[in-house]
Amino acid sequence: MSALQEKVLDGELLDAVTITSMIPAKFNAVAAGLEDVKERYTGLKIAGSGDTKGYEIVRLAIADVREKRVAVEKFRKIFKQPLLDIGKAIDAEAGRITLMLESIEDPLKLEKAAVDDEKAIIKAKKEAEERALIEEEQRKIAEAIKAEAEAKAAEQAEKMRLIEAENAMLRAEQTEKDRIAKADADAAKAIADAERKKAAEELAQQRAEIAQMKAEQAAQAFKIAEQQRAIAKAAHEKADAEAKAIADEKARVEAEAKAKADKLAKDMKEKADAEAKAAQEKYVTEQAEKELAEKLALKKELEPDYAILANYAKALDLTEVMNFGAIKHPIAVAFSNEVESDVYAIIHKIKQFLGE
């Protein structure tokens, strides 16, 4: 007997983890090597019908995997058979005990059912009697309602008959009233037609009189309008003449004033120009005299220095003492020319300062 069977027979409840932990080591060995098998055999290829080496490798791999698979199936059956046997034994024992319990339970159910059926019959009979009483009461109420409805219908029919008779009487009275009203209306219409004709004739006469009055008023208004237009024309012509005379006089006065203003402006401008010219000439003369006086004073003040500067300029004039033409070397010639130019420039500036 296996350890699993012993545990079950001992009444120990096994869960999935416990059962898994009892799986034979053979399963564990195969499971542990799955990754290695997968790594070695996955992806193997045969290049073609001529690849005998590849073909042999694949064939051996299939055989190896098949061997492991068959071993797993073999051990599965071996390991599972005790569990199947236990299941069958459990089912058989449970069935036996269930039959024993049902043999006790079923008579009790029958005993209880008999009492329950009797109670149900009594209850149903009582409910039927109560329903009969209720139905009888409802029938009586329905008959009373029906009788009351029939009485109300008869009363309503009588009321409708009386109303219809009254309506017929009212219609007859209304017909007579309509006849009398029509006769009165015809008479009134005849009177109204005569009055309207008379009123129309009077209205026509009044309109003719009004039209004649309006024509006379229009003629009078036209005459007055003609007179007013003549007066307005004369007034307008007079106003135009007066306005022209005023405008001419205004133009003459403005022309005279403009001529006087122009002459006055011209005279004032000529006088101002003459005064400005005289002032300018006076200013120029005064400035010239002032500058001359300043120059004379400065010249007198600088006379000692002038003599010194004149002598210095004379001393710088090397044309008499220097024979630049005797210099031959180009560098010396260039230098002598530069010196001579500088000296003449200094002499020129001194002479300018001295006013020569």
Side-chain angles (χ1 to χ4, degrees):
M1 183 179 294
S2 67
L4 181 60
Q5 288 175 320
E6 291 177 356
K7 287 180 177 289
V8 173
L9 292 177
D10 289 341
E12 184 176 346
L13 184 61
L14 302 179
D15 56 14
V17 176
T18 303
I19 294 173
T20 303
S21 66
M22 298 175 66
I23 294 175
K26 188 68 175 178
F27 276 5
N28 295 335
V30 174
L34 281 177
E35 289 299 324
D36 179 61
V37 172
K38 182 178 180 181
E39 183 178 354
R40 285 190 293 115
Y41 296 152
T42 299
L44 291 179
K45 301 290 183 181
I46 301 174
S49 59
D51 186 8
T52 55
K53 183 178 180 181
Y55 180 87
E56 184 63 17
I57 291 172
V58 171
R59 186 186 68 77
L60 293 175
I62 293 171
D64 186 24
V65 174
R66 182 173 58 248
E67 181 181 356
K68 288 178 171 54
R69 178 175 56 77
V70 171
V72 169
E73 180 63 18
K74 177 181 177 182
F75 281 102
R76 182 189 70 80
K77 291 180 179 179
I78 294 172
F79 184 69
K80 188 177 179 182
Q81 189 60 46
L83 297 177
L84 295 175
D85 295 341
I86 291 171
K88 290 178 180 179
I90 290 171
D91 291 342
E93 183 62 18
R96 185 182 67 80
I97 295 171
T98 300
L99 289 174
M100 292 176 64
L101 292 172
E102 287 178 349
S103 66
I104 299 170
E105 183 183 7
D106 289 345
L108 296 175
K109 284 183 177 180
L110 292 174
E111 185 67 21
K112 179 177 178 296
V115 176
D116 290 340
D117 292 342
E118 184 179 355
K119 288 181 179 180
I121 292 170
I122 294 170
K123 182 180 179 181
K125 183 178 179 181
K126 183 178 179 181
E127 290 177 352
E129 291 174 353
E130 290 176 352
R131 279 197 302 273
L133 292 174
I134 292 170
E135 289 174 357
E136 179 63 20
E137 185 67 23
Q138 289 177 346
R139 185 186 63 76
K140 290 179 180 180
I141 293 170
E143 289 179 353
I145 293 172
K146 181 180 178 182
E148 184 179 358
E150 290 175 351
K152 286 183 178 180
E155 183 181 357
Q156 187 68 24
E158 180 62 20
K159 287 182 179 180
M160 291 298 295
R161 187 186 65 76
L162 294 175
I163 291 170
E164 183 61 29
E166 185 177 356
N167 288 338
M169 186 182 297
L170 291 173
R171 284 195 294 272
E173 291 177 356
Q174 185 63 40
T175 301
E176 181 62 19
K177 287 180 180 179
D178 292 343
R179 186 187 65 76
I180 295 170
K182 184 175 183 303
D184 292 342
D186 292 340
K189 183 175 181 298
I191 295 170
D193 290 342
E195 290 178 351
R196 277 198 299 273
K197 182 178 180 182
K198 182 179 179 181
E201 292 174 353
E202 292 176 353
L203 180 61
Q205 184 178 356
Q206 290 175 359
R207 286 178 177 174
E209 292 174 355
I210 291 170
Q212 184 178 358
M213 186 184 299
K214 286 183 177 180
E216 293 174 354
Q217 289 176 351
Q220 185 66 22
F222 180 76
K223 183 177 179 181
I224 293 170
E226 286 294 324
Q227 292 174 355
Q228 289 177 346
R229 279 196 292 272
I231 294 169
K233 181 179 180 182
H236 183 68
E237 290 174 352
K238 182 179 179 182
D240 288 344
E242 291 176 353
K244 186 176 183 304
I246 293 170
D248 293 343
E249 180 64 18
K250 181 180 179 183
R252 185 186 65 77
V253 172
E254 289 177 351
E256 290 179 356
K258 184 176 183 302
K260 290 180 180 180
D262 292 343
K263 186 175 183 305
L264 178 61
K266 182 180 179 183
D267 294 343
M268 291 177 67
K269 184 176 183 304
E270 290 176 352
K271 182 179 179 181
D273 291 343
E275 291 176 353
K277 183 178 180 182
Q280 180 67 22
E281 290 175 351
K282 181 180 179 183
Y283 174 77
V284 171
T285 302
E286 289 176 351
Q287 287 296 113
E289 291 175 352
K290 182 180 179 182
E291 289 178 1
L292 180 60
E294 290 175 352
K295 286 181 179 180
L296 291 174
L298 182 61
K299 185 175 182 181
K300 185 176 181 180
E301 185 179 352
L302 293 174
E303 280 181 357
D305 297 331
Y306 280 171
I308 296 171
L309 291 171
N311 292 331
Y312 179 63
K314 186 176 180 181
L316 288 175
D317 191 355
L318 304 177
T319 54
E320 297 179 358
V321 296
M322 291 296 296
N323 185 11
F324 288 108
I327 299 173
K328 302 300 183 183
H329 196 280
I331 296 175
V333 171
F335 178 72
S336 64
N337 291 336
E338 184 178 353
V339 170
E340 186 178 10
S341 176
D342 292 341
V343 170
Y344 283 143
I346 294 171
I347 293 171
H348 179 69
K349 290 181 73 173
I350 293 172
K351 286 183 177 181
Q352 278 186 334
F353 181 73
L354 296 176
E356 296 180 2

